[in-house]
């Protein structure tokens, strides 16, 4: 069982917007602004999409944005494209026994 | 641009030791404020953090694996390594090495990953 809770799957049509949630506790997501998001296409390594809740690395499309409210962080993808179909994982710093926790992952399907 | 590449046996027998090496290119493993990390992913499942080593040599491990894990660094070869002993089929997974940025606490970049199967 993952420390952070993500929906198993989300879907959307091309051009639409979707949001993936990542729920933790005050010991991780809610307590620190160190949430990051990763995109993983089948057979590939995860790729950093968002760090420190809202920051986008250079080269990542501005269609990807992050936010946080309380113990829940969110990744929003606007203007969905077929290439966005992938698994998405959130991660957070945590003050618990491990310094890093991951979500269970969300499979995004572009209809 | 820093790149990471995992290497090691793809098949390990039960009860033996899994050994992997991550070679860092495009930058020195000794410079900057980074944790050099190992993460694994069983087939069809999510990511599990294994542990990390700081540029100073200090280590942190996942408590669920701590009794079996050792991470070390060889600065002369610009490599860091993972050893996991007493493996079972539950340790079968794709193993990734990644750089964890100490200031902003995120993983980037990642290696391409290597599949390790535990089987007799």
């Amino acid at each position: 069982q993952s420390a952070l809770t993500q929906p198993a799957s989300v879907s959307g049509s091309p051009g639409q917007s979707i949001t993936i949630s990542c729920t933790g506790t005050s010991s991780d997501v809610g307590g620190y602004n160190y949430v990051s998001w990763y995109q993983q296409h089948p057979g590939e390594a995860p790729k950093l999409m968002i760090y420190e809740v809202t920051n986008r690395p250079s080269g990542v499309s501005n269609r990807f944005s992050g936010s946080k409210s309380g113990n829940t962080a969110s990744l929003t993808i606007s203007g969905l494209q077929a290439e966005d179909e992938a698994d998405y994982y959130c991660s957070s710093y945590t003050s618990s026994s491990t310094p890093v926790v991951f979500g269970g992952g969300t499979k995004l399907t572009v209809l | 641009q820093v790149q990471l590449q995992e290497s090691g046996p793809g098949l390990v027998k039960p009860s033996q030791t899994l050994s992997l090496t991550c070679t860092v290119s495009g930058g020195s493993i000794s410079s900057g404020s980074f944790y050099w990390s190992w993460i694994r992913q069983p087939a069809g499942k999510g990511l599990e953090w294994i542990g990390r080593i700081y540029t100073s040599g200090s280590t942190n491990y996942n408590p669920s694996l701590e009794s079996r894990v050792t991470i070390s660094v060889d600065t002369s070869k610009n490599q860091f390594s993972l050893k996991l002993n007493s493996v079972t089929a539950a340790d079968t997974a794709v193993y990734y090495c990644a750089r964890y940025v100490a200031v902003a606490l995120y993983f980037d970049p990642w290696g391409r990953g290597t599949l390790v199967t535990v089987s007799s």
Side-chain angles (χ1 to χ4, degrees), chain B residues 2-69:
Chain B
V2 173
Q3 295 183 319
L4 284 69
Q5 177 67 58
E6 305 88 350
S7 60
L11 181 63
V12 181
K13 289 182 167 50
S15 79
Q16 294 192 342
T17 298
L18 178 160
S19 296
L20 295 175
T21 295
C22 182
T23 300
V24 179
S25 58
S28 171
I29 200 170
S30 300
S31 65
S33 298
F34 304 114
Y35 291 94
W36 302 96
S37 307
W38 289 97
I39 298 151
R40 69 181 182 179
Q41 184 175 36
K45 295 188 178 181
L47 301 166
E48 180 181 29
W49 180 76
I50 299 171
R52 66 187 187 185
I53 187 164
Y54 193 54
T55 48
S56 65
S58 65
T59 54
N60 302 103
Y61 301 125
N62 188 322
S64 68
L65 299 169
E66 188 165 16
S67 63
R68 299 193 291 130
V69 173

Side-chain angles (χ1 to χ4, degrees), chain A residues 2 33-36 38 40 43-48 50-52 87 89 91-93 97-100 102-105, chain B residues 6 39 41 44-49 52 60-64 96 100 102-113:
Chain A
S2 302
N33 289 322
Y34 291 120
V35 175
S36 50
Y38 304 88
Q40 186 180 35
E44 297 185 7
K47 174 188 174 185
L48 176 70
I50 296 286
Y51 67 96
E52 289 182 305
D87 293 328
Y89 293 90
S91 177
S92 175
Y93 170 79
S97 56
T98 58
V100 177
F102 287 102
Chain B
E6 305 88 350
I39 298 151
Q41 184 175 36
K45 295 188 178 181
L47 301 166
E48 180 181 29
W49 180 76
R52 66 187 187 185
N60 302 103
Y61 301 125
N62 188 322
S64 68
Y96 295 99
Y100 190 63
V103 174
L105 308 187
Y106 60 81
F107 294 99
D108 184 65
W110 297 59
R112 295 178 63 87

Side-chain angles (χ1 to χ4, degrees), chain A residues 46-105:
Chain A
K47 174 188 174 185
L48 176 70
M49 305 302 284
I50 296 286
Y51 67 96
E52 289 182 305
V53 179
T54 61
N55 294 331
R56 237 182 355 263
S58 63
V60 171
S61 170
N62 59 10
R63 298 185 298 105
F64 291 82
S65 62
S67 62
K68 190 183 83 168
S69 177
N71 294 338
T72 299
S74 298
L75 173 71
T76 298
I77 308 173
S78 59
L80 268 182
Q81 299 179 0
E83 67 203 48
D84 299 332
E85 186 163 291
D87 293 328
Y88 291 85
Y89 293 90
C90 62
S91 177
S92 175
Y93 170 79
T94 172
S95 57
S96 66
S97 56
T98 58
V100 177
V101 289
F102 287 102

Side-chain angles (χ1 to χ4, degrees), chain A residues 7-21 75-82 84-88 105-111:
Chain A
S9 63
V10 299
S11 63
S13 300
Q16 289 186 330
S17 294
I18 62 94
T19 296
I20 299 172
S21 62
L75 173 71
T76 298
I77 308 173
S78 59
L80 268 182
Q81 299 179 0
D84 299 332
E85 186 163 291
D87 293 328
Y88 291 85
T106 298
K107 181 176 181 58
L108 168 62
T109 300
V110 180
L111 303 170

